């Protein structure tokens, strides 16, 4: 009885066991066959990680293919904490071979604590070859130390083009989420200048590689299906490195800007601003000490004076006054005024720069001698809004959008402007000030160069920083030399040009007695822009103080605009030397030198195509 | 039953060699095959190395299987005589564990006795079955059916279960309860009483829930909704399902399981080892292992049916069910059918305790088979 009941119930339990085991088998069938595909995908998602390959950044080249920004081998040292028993000891040994600052060491220690132990930590980058070689030689003594030769951005002519090209820096916290590339160790991104503005164009496209990773993210092996990165595109600038270098050199330590423009094409050949800085330092990570000294320098090395600097243009705008008056029919080439050194308007006296006066002058003479009184006489008849219109047509008071950072539009005052900003009516005396390039009028050296090019050619020259041949991408600065004509009476332009030619001739303000007769003929205009207000008391007691007696910041700005050759204008130039004193004495020689250099370069080398992009400068 | 044909000719007085030869070598071989599967997986988990796990496991198994055969050829009367002393020893050890036990994995479970660590709860699984079999051996069917005779078996179960649960080791507690219930059922308790007792257990679930530790509760909750904690407790079960499921029909191949080779699987050499097998050998591999377990465990029950004494019957069938519970709870857990309770897969999971339990228990089952014709005195406490 007991036995039968036991057998029945035991068999029941055995059947139950069989059922349960079948259920487990069924569950396994469900997981692996019915839902198997889904779990295969999830298993692959677990183990396969897509890693990015950084693309090689495109070069920035000058008009002849010389490198302004490129990539070069960069020797780096990494530490893999898990491969060393004592990372402190290893770093100590490494510190005897390469310089490791306390700051670097602190950063490394922080990273060792924070990161997974198999992730390499950058110890040093930008090493010299011999340091790198020594680390490699001592490698057996340095467990966990890895060496690697990667690419880093390099500016072979950094100081000459810093303000145009800009620099790279590590992406900041906000950037990191925008693009997964930014998470790659050591990845740098354009932070200033063209490097920043053309980031997408220069960067190229990241490649990908599929790697198998384990549960903590360690790379086990690479899987097939690698896609290589696509090189970034090059950027071909219209800048001529040789001319640019010359401009930077002759501006020297002054706070100054120089612009050279090809009149026929509008291509900017030089856009130099001093003092300058080394963008390589920024890309490596500038020290706070150097950064502070750049910030504190009163000559503002970080400002691109050609486009960010606003200056009263002084007498360099007198051509525009003359053209406006001629076009309005207020004056003829024969109209003469007498200059005794001062001009009265109501209770105010306006002075000519020449204290004794110029005597009787016609329009051409007034330009070549830069007589202020002549223009005061004209200004009394002129309308500020008409002057403004003419200034705008010649490129003042507007952006030219050449693609560099922080370009400013300057200021050409009008009646409406004054009422809007000052809630006051325009005064005739202000027109007089504007007529000699003072008062509210502000321009950039770039605008003055464009103005000069338009006067010289009679065409609406548009400046461009890029080569005409660069047509493989769309950009708003694309070169177009099919410039329309300025709608100005050619005779009026001829009068102004004659005045400018005489500026550099005998008795002109920019006459150079030492200039050889064979040299190309230059037409120009000097300008000396007053920075401080000269009081009546100063005039009556000490007389107007000479610039040399004034502190630097109170001295006049020296300006010069010119084109050459006078008969067939090829190049236009504008020079500004901040607080440099007289335009004739300080700025004109620089302008002449640059025009001659531009002509020399063209005569020597034209026509020449960039032979190869890989050619070293 | 054709028991005579099934288990060999009826011979009672055999010497040790005859008894060894007379063992059912088929089930011993399958046991070895299951253990061998374990070595292979441990070899794979170590990235294709015998060290450190597969080799040690093999050495352990060699000792355990010798112990198993030794137990199998020892007279069943010895085991019946030891049934109650074993139960008392187990309870004493559990109390000792409570007082001086080594702590690990969230509970007090081990007694460190120098050269090895003893897990008294493993011994208790076997001792409780032995004690219950011994108890019912002395009761007639009429007695076994009656409620009043549940008092002592109830005590034999509840005391060790209580001690195990406070360790805390809920899995082992449940296994002792289930194994004990199976014996009471097979001994002949009225099925109505049995059904109402089952109802009472269900009614007790809310109370048990109240008594559970927070980590046990969270395991159950995570089991009910693994996605609620994808990085914590749910991570284990999710990764285990991915491993088992991604193996497909035939698996990714030996040493090719990505989930296991790349360390995505938790506890893969112990509790979750079955998923490594399923990943590398697929559905087919998993089914073969389950079938091998099914054969040896089903055989255990049939051995019980072939025995003449009630003690041997209940012992063989009860132990078979206890061992079956390991497989059921472990595989059900790693495939997401049961909450994660930390029960190893015997013979396969790395570690000695479950393997030892298996070999001792199966040794006892084989001893019952060897001595299936022995009739034991119903009331005798010694050798009859």
């Amino acid at each position: 009885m007991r036995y039968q009941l036991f057998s029945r119930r035991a068999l029941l339990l055995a059947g139950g066991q069989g059922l349960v085991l079948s259920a487990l088998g069924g569950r396994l069938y469900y997981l692996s066959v019915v839902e198997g595909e889904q779990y295969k995908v999830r298993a692959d998602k677990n183990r396969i990680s897509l890693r990015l390959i950084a693309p090689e950044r495109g070069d920035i080249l000058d008009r002849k293919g010389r490198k302004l920004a490129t990539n070069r081998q960069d020797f780096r040292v990494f530490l893999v904490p898990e491969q060393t028993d004592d990372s402190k000891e290893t770093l100590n040994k490494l510190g005897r071979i390469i310089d490791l600052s306390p700051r670097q060491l602190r950063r490394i220690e922080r990273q060792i604590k924070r990161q997974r132990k198999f992730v390499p930590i950058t110890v040093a980058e930008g090493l010299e070859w011999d340091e790198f070689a020594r680390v490699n030689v001592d490698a057996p003594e340095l467990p966990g130390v890895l060496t690697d030769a990667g690419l880093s951005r390099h500016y072979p002519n950094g100081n000459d083009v810093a303000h145009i090209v800009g620099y790279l820096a590590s992406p900041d916290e906000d950037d990191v989420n925008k693009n997964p590339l930014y998470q790659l160790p050591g990845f740098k991104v354009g932070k200033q200048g063209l490097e920043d503005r053309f980031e997408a164009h220069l960067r190229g496209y990241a490649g990908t590689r599929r790697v198998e990773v384990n549960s903590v993210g360690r790379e086990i092996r690479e899987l097939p299906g690698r896609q290589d990165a696509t090189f970034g595109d090059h950027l071909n600038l219209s800048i001529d490195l040789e001319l640019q270098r010359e401009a930077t050199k002759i501006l020297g330590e002054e706070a100054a800007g120089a612009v050279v423009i090809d009149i026929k094409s509008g291509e900017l050949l030089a856009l130099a601003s001093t003092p300058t800085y080394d963008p390589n330092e920024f890309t490596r990570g500038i020290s706070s000490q150097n950064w502070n000294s750049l910030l504190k320098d009163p000559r503002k090395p970080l400002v691109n004076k050609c486009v960010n600097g606003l200056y009263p243009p002084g007498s360099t705008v007198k051509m525009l006054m003359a053209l406006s008056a001629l076009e309005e029919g207020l004056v003829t080439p024969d109209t003469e005024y007498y200059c005794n050194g001062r001009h009265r308007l109501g209770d105010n006296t306006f002075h000519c720069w020449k204290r004794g006066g110029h005597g009787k002058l016609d329009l051409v003479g007034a330009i070549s001698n830069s007589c202020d009184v002549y223009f005061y006489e004209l200004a009394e008849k002129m309308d500020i809004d008409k002057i403004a219109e003419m200034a705008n047509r010649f490129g003042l008071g507007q952006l030219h959008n050449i693609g560099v950072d922080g370009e400013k539009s300057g200021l050409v005052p009008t009646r409406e402007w004054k009422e809007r900003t000052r809630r006051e009516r325009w005064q005739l005396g202000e027109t007089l000030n504007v007529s000699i390039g003072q008062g509210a009028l502000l321009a950039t050296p770039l605008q003055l160069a464009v103005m000069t090019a338009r006067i010289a050619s009679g065409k609406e020259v548009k400046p461009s920083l890029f080569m005409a041949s660069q047509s493989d991408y769309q950009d708003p600065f694309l070169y177009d030399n099919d410039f329309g004509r300025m709608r100005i009476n050619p005779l009026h332009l001829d009068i102004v040009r004659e005045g400018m030619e005489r500026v550099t001739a005998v008795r002109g303000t920019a006459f150079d007695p030492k200039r050889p007769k064979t040299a190309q003929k230059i037409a120009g205009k000097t300008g000396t822009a007053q920075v401080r207000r000269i009081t009546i008391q100063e005039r009556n007691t000490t007389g107007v103080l000479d610039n040399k007696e004034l502190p630097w910041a109170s001295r006049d700005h020296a300006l010069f605009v010119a084109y050459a050759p006078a008969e067939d204008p090829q190049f236009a130039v504008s020079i500004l030397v901040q607080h440099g004193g007289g335009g004739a004495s300080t700025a004109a020689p620089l302008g002449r030198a640059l025009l001659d250099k531009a002509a020399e370069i063209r005569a020597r080398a034209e026509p020449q195509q960039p032979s190869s992009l890989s050619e070293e400068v | 039953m054709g028991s005579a044909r099934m288990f060999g000719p009826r011979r009672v007085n055999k010497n040790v060699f005859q008894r060894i030869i007379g063992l059912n070598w088929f089930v011993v071989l399958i046991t070895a095959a299951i253990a061998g599967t374990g070595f292979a997986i441990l070899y794979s988990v170590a990235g294709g190395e015998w060290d450190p796990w597969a080799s040690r496991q093999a050495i352990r198994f060699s000792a355990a299987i010798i112990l198993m055969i030794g137990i199998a050829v020892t007279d069943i009367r010895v085991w019946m005589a030891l049934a109650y002393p074993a139960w008392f020893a187990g309870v004493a050890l559990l109390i000792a564990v409570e007082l001086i036990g080594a702590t690990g994995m969230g509970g007090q479970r081990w007694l460190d006795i120098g050269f090895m660590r003893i897990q008294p709860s493993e011994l208790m699984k076997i001792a409780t079955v032995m004690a219950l079999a011994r108890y019912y051996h002395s009761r007639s069917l009429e007695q076994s059916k009656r409620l009043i005779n549940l008092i002592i078996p109830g005590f034999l179960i509840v005391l060790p279960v209580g001690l195990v649960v406070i360790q805390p080791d809920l899995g082992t507690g449940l296994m002792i309860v289930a194994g004990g219930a199976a014996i009471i059922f097979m001994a002949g308790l009225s099925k109505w009483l049995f059904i109402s007792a089952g109802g009472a257990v269900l009614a007790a679930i809310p109370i048990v829930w109240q008594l559970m530790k927070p980590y046990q509760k969270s395991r159950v909750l995570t089991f009910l909704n693994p996605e609620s904690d994808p990085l914590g407790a749910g991570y284990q079960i999710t990764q285990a399902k991915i491993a088992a499921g991604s193996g497909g029909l035939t698996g990714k191949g030996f040493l090719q399981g990505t989930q296991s080779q790349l360390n995505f699987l938790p506890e893969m050499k112990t509790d979750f080892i079955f998923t490594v097998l399923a990943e590398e050998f697929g559905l087919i591999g998993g089914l073969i292992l389950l079938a091998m377990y099914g054969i040896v465990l089903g055989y255990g029950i049939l051995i019980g049916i072939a025995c003449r004494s009630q003690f041997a019957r209940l012992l063989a069938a009860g132990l078979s069910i206890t061992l079956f519970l390991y497989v059921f709870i472990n595989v059900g857990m790693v495939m997401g059918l049961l909450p994660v309770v930390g029960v190893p897969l015997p013979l396969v999971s790395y570690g000695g305790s479950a393997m030892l339990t298996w070999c001792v228990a199966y040794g006892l089952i084989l001893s019952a088979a060897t001595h299936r014709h022995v009739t034991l005195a119903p009331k005798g406490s010694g050798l009859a």
Side-chain angles (χ1 to χ4, degrees):
Chain A
M1 271 304 287
R2 204 166 62 162
Y3 170 68
Q4 280 163 355
L5 182 129
F6 167 81
S7 298
R8 236 185 5 253
R9 291 195 173 180
L11 279 175
L12 195 70
L13 288 179
Q17 279 188 8
L19 275 179
V20 168
L21 286 173
S22 304
L24 293 177
R27 171 68 174 177
L28 185 57
Y29 170 82
Y30 177 76
L31 287 179
S32 62
V33 177
V34 180
E35 289 193 326
E37 282 311 310
Q38 177 212 325
Y39 286 117
K40 274 192 186 100
V41 171
R42 291 178 68 178
D44 280 348
K45 249 168 80 181
N46 266 345
R47 83 185 167 102
I48 297 172
S49 167
L50 220 53
R51 299 276 160 102
L52 292 174
I53 306 169
E56 191 173 329
R57 199 174 175 88
D59 289 341
I60 299 178
L61 307 164
D62 92 331
R63 63 185 298 112
K64 292 183 180 129
R66 291 172 289 211
K67 286 168 182 175
L68 305 180
T70 185
N71 310 303
R72 72 169 178 188
Q73 287 274 302
D74 174 29
F75 301 110
R76 304 168 202 174
V77 173
F78 299 97
L79 177 73
V80 185
E82 72 167 6
Q83 289 174 11
T84 172
D85 296 332
D86 185 351
S87 55
K88 267 219 172 82
E89 172 63 23
T90 305
L91 284 173
N92 273 341
K93 279 191 207 160
L94 194 59
R96 278 172 231 145
I97 304 171
I98 55 175
D99 264 348
L100 292 175
S101 68
R103 209 180 62 169
Q104 268 173 302
L105 288 171
R106 255 177 281 130
R107 173 185 58 81
I108 296 164
E109 255 166 61
R110 240 182 298 129
Q111 280 183 297
I112 290 175
K113 275 188 207 127
R114 216 176 39 206
Q115 294 181 352
R116 288 193 181 277
K117 298 291 172 250
F118 60 85
V119 177
I121 293 165
T122 311
V123 174
E125 43 190 353
L127 292 179
E128 295 302 322
W129 165 250
D130 58 324
E131 291 177 301
F132 183 70
R134 260 181 289 151
V135 174
N136 277 325
V137 167
D138 286 355
E141 313 269 297
L142 298 164
V145 172
L146 294 181
T147 55
D148 170 60
L151 289 176
S152 73
R153 200 61 159 171
H154 176 58
Y155 304 96
N157 302 285
N159 290 311
D160 297 314
V161 292
H163 295 103
I164 305 172
V165 168
Y167 52 83
L168 302 184
S170 298
D172 47 49
E173 303 274 326
D174 292 345
D175 294 334
V176 168
N177 297 322
K178 285 189 209 141
N179 189 330
L181 257 182
Y182 295 168
Q183 292 166 12
L184 289 179
F187 192 84
K188 302 271 165 74
V189 61
K191 279 286 174 192
Q192 279 286 317
L194 298 176
E195 291 274 38
D196 179 20
R197 191 141 182 168
F198 288 88
E199 172 66 28
H201 175 84
L202 290 164
R203 183 197 294 148
Y205 295 95
T208 50
R209 54 198 191 95
R210 292 164 68 238
V211 296
E212 187 172 87
V213 295
N214 70 5
S215 59
V216 288
R218 181 204 294 272
E219 230 175 273
I220 304 299
R221 65 191 166 115
E222 185 166 336
L223 301 168
R226 184 192 181 102
Q227 281 196 304
D228 285 324
T230 313
F231 281 65
D233 290 326
H234 297 312
L235 203 56
N236 288 77
L237 303 191
S238 59
I239 295 294
D240 187 301
L241 178 62
E242 192 184 350
L243 190 64
Q244 176 82 7
R245 208 183 268 161
E246 177 75 6
T248 311
K249 197 181 91 191
I250 62 176
L251 295 180
E253 294 301 302
E254 300 280 2
V259 179
V260 183
I261 188 169
D262 181 323
I263 292 172
K264 298 273 156 102
S265 66
E267 289 166 350
L268 291 161
L269 301 176
L271 198 75
S273 177
T274 55
T276 181
Y277 59 89
D278 183 3
N280 290 308
E281 221 177 308
F282 281 82
T283 298
R284 278 195 298 266
I286 191 167
S287 72
S288 59
Q289 190 190 345
N290 287 3
W291 170 245
N292 280 332
S293 75
L294 283 176
L295 277 185
K296 280 183 191 145
D297 191 327
R299 296 170 306 161
K300 296 198 177 2
L302 296 173
V303 172
N304 181 350
K305 279 142 194 115
C306 298
V307 293
N308 310 0
L310 291 175
Y311 308 95
S315 304
T316 58
V317 293
K318 281 176 180 161
M319 289 82 81
L320 299 183
M321 299 302 137
L323 283 172
S324 179
L326 284 165
E327 291 282 295
E328 295 296 318
L330 303 175
V331 72
T332 70
D334 303 328
T335 307
E336 292 183 336
Y337 290 109
Y338 186 81
C339 168
N340 63 358
R342 69 189 59 144
H343 179 83
R344 238 172 215 294
L345 181 70
D347 293 336
N348 291 321
T349 304
F350 291 78
H351 293 270
C352 187
W353 65 270
K354 190 167 182 182
R355 240 170 293 170
H358 286 96
K360 196 187 261 184
L361 287 166
D362 64 2
L363 186 53
V364 169
I367 293 171
S368 64
N369 290 296
S370 202
C371 172
D372 293 332
V373 169
Y374 191 97
F375 287 95
Y376 296 144
E377 293 285 353
L378 277 186
E380 274 198 45
K381 299 177 194 164
M382 290 171 75
D383 177 9
I384 184 62
D385 290 343
K386 296 281 183 196
I387 293 171
E389 193 196 318
M390 188 59 72
N392 286 332
R393 283 169 73 182
F394 277 85
L396 303 195
Q398 59 182 270
L399 291 173
H400 292 290
N401 292 319
I402 60 167
V404 295
D405 284 333
E407 189 184 328
K408 293 205 168 131
S409 62
L411 178 60
V412 176
T414 60
R415 282 200 170 77
E416 185 269 332
W417 166 81
K418 176 138 193 223
E419 269 158 31
R420 176 162 43 83
T421 57
R422 308 247 169 101
R423 308 234 163 268
E424 276 172 30
R425 286 185 50 137
W426 183 263
Q427 304 291 319
L428 184 56
E430 294 176 85
T431 309
L432 266 59
N433 267 335
V434 166
S435 75
I436 61 160
Q438 297 281 162
L441 192 62
L442 291 171
T444 65
L446 173 70
Q447 289 170 339
L448 297 179
V450 170
M451 173 192 81
T452 310
R454 289 182 182 181
I455 292 170
S457 64
K459 289 183 176 175
E460 290 176 324
V461 177
K462 286 189 178 67
S464 161
L465 198 55
F466 299 91
M467 287 290 280
S469 57
Q470 177 133 9
S471 54
D472 56 336
Y473 72 99
Q474 293 292 313
D475 73 85
F477 325 110
L478 199 60
Y479 160 92
D480 169 21
N481 70 348
D482 193 15
F483 302 128
R485 301 201 71 80
M486 303 286 298
R487 285 179 306 281
I488 304 273
N489 186 336
L491 293 175
H492 296 161
L493 280 170
D494 280 341
I495 291 161
V496 169
R497 289 180 193 137
E498 195 189 332
M500 290 175 77
E501 283 174 34
R502 287 214 211 148
V503 166
T504 57
V506 184
R507 285 197 301 280
T509 54
F511 175 64
D512 176 8
K514 287 187 230 113
R515 191 170 174 78
K517 294 262 185 304
T518 51
Q520 66 173 343
K521 200 163 155 200
I522 290 171
K525 181 74 198 77
T526 57
T528 303
Q530 209 172 286
V531 175
R532 69 204 172 100
R533 201 179 169 81
I534 299 172
T535 58
I536 296 169
Q537 194 196 6
E538 181 183 327
R539 280 187 196 281
N540 293 344
T541 54
T542 56
V544 178
L545 288 168
D546 191 81
N547 270 306
K548 292 197 178 67
E549 300 164 49
L550 294 168
W552 180 76
S554 302
R555 293 180 197 169
D556 297 336
H557 295 323
L559 294 118
F560 184 62
V561 300
Y563 63 85
E567 320 78 55
D568 175 24
Q570 299 284 330
F571 310 105
V573 66
S574 82
I575 302 283
L576 164 106
V577 182
Q578 233 180 310
H579 310 299
S585 56
T586 307
L590 305 179
R592 280 195 300 262
L594 279 184
L595 286 172
D596 288 349
K597 183 80 180 175
E600 178 212 316
I601 290 169
R602 179 151 302 179
R604 165 159 38 92
E606 200 112 296
Q608 192 186 25
Q609 295 295 312
S611 51
S612 157
L613 294 180
S614 59
E615 192 182 70
E616 198 51 62
V617 178
Chain B
M1 294 301 304
S3 59
R5 248 169 288 130
M6 214 166 156
F7 298 101
R10 174 193 286 244
R11 271 192 278 140
V12 182
N13 295 313
K14 291 173 277 190
N15 64 32
V16 171
F17 296 105
Q18 287 170 323
R19 288 186 220 169
I20 289 177
I21 294 163
L23 282 178
N24 189 330
W25 284 99
F26 178 61
V27 291
V28 177
L29 218 65
I30 293 181
T31 293
I34 294 170
T37 308
F39 309 154
I41 303 172
L42 290 172
Y43 177 84
S44 173
V45 165
E49 299 281 340
W50 282 103
D51 275 334
W53 301 312
S55 54
R56 285 191 211 170
Q57 184 85 341
I59 291 165
R60 247 183 232 139
F61 180 70
S62 311
I65 200 158
I66 290 168
L67 179 64
M68 177 172 113
I69 291 167
I71 291 169
V73 297
T74 303
D75 197 306
I76 186 115
R77 282 164 287 207
V78 173
W79 302 125
M80 189 163 93
L82 284 176
Y84 289 142
W87 185 88
F88 280 109
V91 168
L93 283 172
L94 280 175
I95 292 167
V97 152
E98 205 49 50
L99 300 175
I100 56 166
T103 304
M105 305 293 284
Q108 287 183 315
R109 289 176 188 177
W110 297 306
L111 268 186
D112 211 323
I113 55 165
F115 65 98
M116 69 177 290
R117 293 192 295 191
I118 292 183
Q119 224 170 319
S121 59
E122 293 291 328
L123 170 65
M124 210 60 233
K125 284 174 199 162
I126 297 170
T128 307
V129 171
M130 287 170 79
L132 286 167
R134 173 78 186 80
Y135 176 79
Y136 281 111
H137 180 76
S138 310
R139 299 290 176 281
S140 69
L141 179 60
E142 283 313 304
Q143 287 171 317
S144 302
K145 277 182 175 173
R146 291 222 310 270
L147 190 58
I148 187 78
N149 284 310
L150 264 185
I151 293 171
I152 291 171
F155 178 74
L156 289 177
I157 294 171
V158 168
L159 182 63
V161 166
L163 287 169
V164 166
V165 168
I166 58 171
Q167 277 187 357
D169 186 354
L170 191 63
T172 296
L174 287 172
M175 283 173 69
I176 296 173
V177 168
I183 289 179
I184 293 170
F185 175 69
M186 289 185 292
L189 183 68
S190 156
K191 66 181 164 222
W192 295 115
L193 279 175
F194 206 85
I195 291 166
S196 35
V201 168
L202 283 179
I205 285 176
I207 298 160
V208 172
W209 179 255
Q210 290 297 316
L211 294 172
M212 272 159 69
K213 304 266 175 192
Y215 83 93
Q216 290 170 330
K217 286 185 185 178
S218 84
R219 277 180 182 178
V220 174
L221 291 174
T222 305
F223 160 72
L224 295 173
N225 183 16
E227 312 299 323
S228 69
D229 188 13
L231 294 177
Y235 173 84
Q236 295 191 356
I237 202 66
T238 305
Q239 295 299 329
K241 279 159 80 179
I242 290 173
S246 64
L249 187 63
T250 54
K252 295 174 186 168
F254 188 47
L255 304 175
Q256 303 295 312
T258 60
Q259 287 286 104
S260 42
Q261 300 299 329
L262 302 172
N263 284 317
F264 287 100
L265 267 177
E267 306 283 336
M268 58 184 164
K269 68 179 193 297
T270 54
D271 289 359
F272 283 83
I273 196 162
F274 183 76
T275 54
V276 182
L277 173 87
E279 187 184 25
E280 299 198 344
F281 297 102
L283 174 64
I284 291 172
L287 290 182
I288 289 174
L289 183 68
L290 289 177
M292 290 197 290
Y293 277 120
I295 289 167
V296 267
L297 295 173
Y299 225 88
I301 292 182
L302 295 182
I303 286 169
I305 291 170
C307 288
R308 288 185 67 177
S309 71
Q310 180 76 341
F311 174 73
R313 285 180 205 147
L314 290 174
L315 184 71
L319 288 174
S320 169
I321 284 164
T322 300
L323 295 180
F324 162 79
L325 287 170
Y326 272 103
V327 179
F328 166 57
I329 294 175
N330 177 271
V331 178
M333 162 185 92
V334 300
M335 290 200 297
L337 289 172
L338 295 173
V340 177
V341 284
V343 170
L345 189 59
L347 298 175
V348 178
S349 286
Y350 182 76
S353 289
M355 176 184 279
L356 197 67
T357 306
W358 176 282
C359 288
V360 169
Y362 218 86
L364 290 170
I365 292 171
L366 288 174
S367 174
T370 307
H371 304 95
R372 61 190 172 277
H373 306 302
V374 175
T375 48
L376 299 164
K379 304 230 173 190
S381 58
L383 305 179

